[in-house]
Amino acid sequence: MTEIQAARGDELRCKGWRQEAILRMLENNLENAEVPEELIVYGGTGKAARDWDCYHAIVRELKRLEDDETLLVQSGKPVGVFKTHENSPRVLIANANLVPRWSTWEDFYELEDLGLTMYGQMTAGSWCYIGTQGIIQGTYETFAALARKHFDGTLEGRFVLSGGLGGMGGAQPLAITMNGGAALVVECDEKRIDRRIEAGFCQKKTDDLDEALDIATDAADAGEAVSVALLGNCADVHPELVERDVVPDVVTDQTSAHDALHGYVPAGFYGGNLEEAMALRENDPEGYIRRARESMAAHCRAMLALQDAGSIVFDYGNNLRGQARDAGVDHAFDYPGFVLAYIRPMFCEGRGPFRWLALTGNEEDILKTDRLVMDMFPDNETLVNWTKLAEEHLPWEGLPARVCWLGYGERDTFALAINEMVRTGDIGPIAITRDHLDAGSVASPNRETEGMRDGSDAIADWPLLNALLNCAAGADSISVHNGGGVGVGLSTHAGMVVVCDGSRETDERIRRVFTTDPGSGVVRHADAGYERAIAFARQHGIRVPMEQP
């Protein structure tokens, strides 16, 4: 299979930049993919297209798509093109959405085997993945919030333990060291470790637990920001740490625990015998799932024991707790998820992971927008510090891109300024998107909507309304997915893209979409009774009917 790379430069293959941008984002997903030959972008089985025939058909249709037509993509397969309007989305995507009664992994696998669906994760199937850089800023924000809450604003002198160096977890070592901490991250696949080290996201590796502990604890004792990857299996390593009375300052996890078959690797398998696990997965999937869930239970029990010993423990949204509870760990949810613990106050202000890509591949375009965002929001210390650190530490992956957390009233202002730079020729066209993990775009009771004040954790109307509203507002691409990073049946979430082509018409789309998108997050949290969101809505003139006199 030919290696896929995103096109660069100013030459269009499509009939406009809106279509060309979406095509380049699809290509960029595969340029950054973990298993590109299988169209798997990240997260175990998160795919960009259902199969290669579907991929080539999507590319063909994007090239043919008129400025007033909309392409429908059903779980990675292009299924129709319809005449709509110039301000309508060019692409609408739905991935793995099953009727609730059938929204289980078992039913999903049956339908997948029939070639009827695919798992789109979050940004994989919506073609918004930008490599590890896409998640690292949110990971940085989370560890920064943790540091502010527990350690006077820095992880300096702190030892942080985690697991998983895949598409999401690969951001952890650098995010921890950017906050001043010492990181030890356990990963069973040496290829993933090498990839993170080569990309600059991790500094050292070893297959010896004693050496890994010496590196991490010595760095913490010296107040040095150092990261080390340990080739091993969390279900083996973490219980061993409990036995040794090793108590890290912070413990979390980003293994692909949402998927017991294709994501998590059972205890005992890592490094040289990883192929044996893959053979077990192929030859005895039921046995593999059983062993994976038993291992997740051991992994979770160790994290609970470390919490009892004094570690600050939090779940980073991979459904490890849910899998462990199903495997018999009754108190799996005794440590909190990261949104509940650190992020929700930002969601109340419509703040979340806003990202943008330089479609021509010109790195200078991103550096110029870096200057712009720091000049526009100089009082946002976290944003300014992040941007400087990103320029210093982050490698470019695929199309140059950047991500930062912006809220209601900031996204539209910044996006309009970007579009003006495109209009004047200062930079090339830019695609603006975000993670599906955002203030109003996800319902995920084990992650983003865990512990909602009014008990509305499982209400999935909100991401559906977010997608519908962004469609009405004129986003260029909109997607609705099932499962995300926690698994089939456990979340509903929506994504969006707006292409800055420099036109005045795009100014209008920007004004609408970057008000509706974060605004839906504010009203979602206001409706749930969060005083911070209610006050924010009133302050910014967001009409919340049941809060009006």
Side-chain angles (χ1 to χ4, degrees), residues 24-34 40-43 46 48 120-136 165-171 195-196 355 357 397-399 401 433-436 497:
R24 293 190 187 195
M25 293 176 74
L26 169 60
E27 293 169 334
N28 194 56
N29 264 31
L30 293 173
E31 183 172 338
N32 288 300
E34 290 186 350
I40 293 173
V41 181
Y42 70 88
Q121 260 286 346
M122 287 188 156
T123 55
S126 59
W127 313 334
C128 299
Y129 186 61
I130 57 173
T132 310
Q133 60 186 318
I135 194 63
I136 190 169
L165 287 172
M168 297 292 99
R195 182 175 179 180
R196 299 310 168 199
R355 57 177 68 167
L357 301 84
E397 296 178 272
L399 292 175
T433 181
R434 57 160 171 74
D435 201 333
H436 290 212
V497 176

Side-chain angles (χ1 to χ4, degrees), residues 217-241:
T217 56
D218 289 351
D221 291 343
E224 297 174 349
V226 173
S227 59
V228 57
L230 172 64
L231 182 62
N233 191 301
C234 292
D236 301 315
V237 172
H238 289 42
E240 174 68 16
L241 295 177

Side-chain angles (χ1 to χ4, degrees), residues 89-380:
R90 295 285 69 84
V91 178
L92 296 173
I93 300 171
N95 283 313
N97 294 290
L98 303 176
V99 173
R101 169 62 178 78
W102 287 266
S103 193
T104 67
W105 275 118
E106 290 75 18
D107 287 301
F108 171 82
Y109 288 143
E110 288 184 11
L111 294 165
E112 185 183 41
D113 288 342
L114 292 171
L116 299 174
T117 190
M118 75 166 204
Y119 197 59
Q121 260 286 346
M122 287 188 156
T123 55
S126 59
W127 313 334
C128 299
Y129 186 61
I130 57 173
T132 310
Q133 60 186 318
I135 194 63
I136 190 169
Q137 205 270 340
T139 312
Y140 169 84
E141 287 272 0
T142 300
F143 282 114
L146 179 149
R148 288 192 297 271
K149 185 172 182 178
H150 300 292
F151 302 123
D152 297 322
T154 179
L155 292 180
E156 182 178 340
R158 306 296 175 177
F159 166 27
V160 182
L161 171 69
S162 190
L165 287 172
M168 297 292 99
Q172 295 178 103
L174 184 54
I176 293 164
T177 57
M178 289 170 79
N179 277 287
L184 193 166
V185 183
V186 182
E187 169 58 54
C188 63
D189 188 342
E190 190 168 12
K191 292 179 181 177
R192 289 183 174 181
I193 293 175
D194 291 340
R195 182 175 179 180
R196 299 310 168 199
I197 289 177
E198 182 179 353
F201 288 101
C202 189
Q203 296 167 328
K204 302 180 180 183
K205 78 169 186 177
T206 179
D207 60 1
D208 182 86
L209 176 58
D210 291 320
E211 182 182 5
L213 285 171
D214 286 344
I215 292 170
T217 56
D218 289 351
D221 291 343
E224 297 174 349
V226 173
S227 59
V228 57
L230 172 64
L231 182 62
N233 191 301
C234 292
D236 301 315
V237 172
H238 289 42
E240 174 68 16
L241 295 177
V242 174
E243 288 293 321
R244 295 188 184 197
D245 293 322
V246 174
V247 184
D249 295 289
V250 179
V251 180
T252 187
D253 183 65
Q254 279 202 24
T255 56
S256 293
H258 66 282
D259 188 341
L261 179 60
H262 296 109
Y264 197 89
V265 175
F269 295 110
Y270 65 92
N273 72 347
L274 196 58
E275 289 302 317
E276 296 177 28
M278 302 304 102
L280 177 64
R281 175 186 290 171
E282 179 71 22
N283 299 324
D284 183 11
E286 291 185 4
Y288 185 98
I289 290 173
R290 183 182 64 253
R291 292 179 63 169
R293 287 179 174 154
E294 290 171 352
S295 300
M296 285 188 254
H299 185 171
C300 184
R301 287 192 184 99
M303 292 177 67
L304 289 164
L306 291 171
Q307 179 176 246
D308 290 341
S311 298
I312 293 167
V313 179
F314 69 96
D315 179 277
Y316 214 156
N318 58 358
N319 201 36
L320 177 66
R321 295 173 302 167
Q323 297 273 27
R325 181 181 59 189
D326 292 344
V329 183
D330 294 336
H331 301 290
F333 281 78
D334 279 4
Y335 59 88
F338 74 107
V339 173
L340 177 62
Y342 306 115
I343 301 300
R344 186 152 296 147
M346 289 189 274
F347 278 0
C348 289
E349 297 180 356
R351 190 172 300 279
F354 181 97
R355 57 177 68 167
W356 61 102
L357 301 84
L359 294 170
T360 64
N362 189 345
E363 299 167 4
E364 285 297 318
D365 289 355
I366 296 300
L367 297 176
K368 288 178 180 178
T369 55
D370 284 348
R371 304 278 81 71
L372 177 66
V373 76
M374 290 190 287
D375 288 344
M376 292 182 70
F377 307 108
D379 296 330
N380 188 331

